[in-house]
Amino acid sequence: MVSDASPDEGVVEDLPLIDEKAVEQLTEGLISHYLPDLQRSKSALQELTQNQVVLLETLEQEISKFKECNSIVHINALFSEAKHYHSKLVNIRNEMMMLHEKTSKLKKRALKLQQKRQKEELEREQQREKELEREKQLTAKPAKRT
């Protein structure tokens, strides 16, 4: 035989009557038993969270200090490199000044030599002209017929 009755039918009737006051007292007892531990755990977790925040801030500060140290090392390297290149520039400038002095002296010397050569050539030319003039005078001239 098939029954059309729902499975929950009669359940309420089967349950014993529960005293609401007893349930409330049991609930309060259970809560009062576990609540202090839960509150201590909650405060411990809050303290731990606060400590973690402080620790994170401290770590961030230390990281920034390390970054500053690295940048200081980098800056020091740049300064030493700048000092190295500055000394190179000073050496190059000194060499250029020395070369300038040498070239100036060489130019003066070359000018003096050129002037001396020109003077010698002029003297040779004058000597040659004198010799030609002398030869002309020494060369016999035919007498003029009158």
Side-chain angles (χ1 to χ4, degrees), residues 18-76:
I18 301 175
D19 186 11
E20 299 249 345
K21 189 174 183 180
V23 170
E24 190 176 315
Q25 286 177 346
L26 284 172
T27 304
E28 284 178 11
L30 184 67
I31 288 175
S32 67
H33 179 70
Y34 287 109
L35 188 61
D37 287 339
L38 289 174
Q39 287 177 337
R40 280 193 300 273
S41 296
K42 180 181 177 183
S43 65
L45 283 173
Q46 285 176 340
E47 184 180 344
L48 180 65
T49 304
Q50 289 173 348
N51 288 341
Q52 283 179 337
V53 167
V54 170
L55 182 63
L56 284 174
E57 289 173 356
T58 306
L59 281 175
E60 287 176 4
Q61 290 173 356
E62 292 298 318
I63 288 171
S64 67
K65 286 180 186 177
F66 280 119
K67 286 181 181 177
E68 286 177 21
C69 287
N70 282 340
S71 65
I72 288 173
V73 168
H74 183 66
I75 289 172
N76 287 337

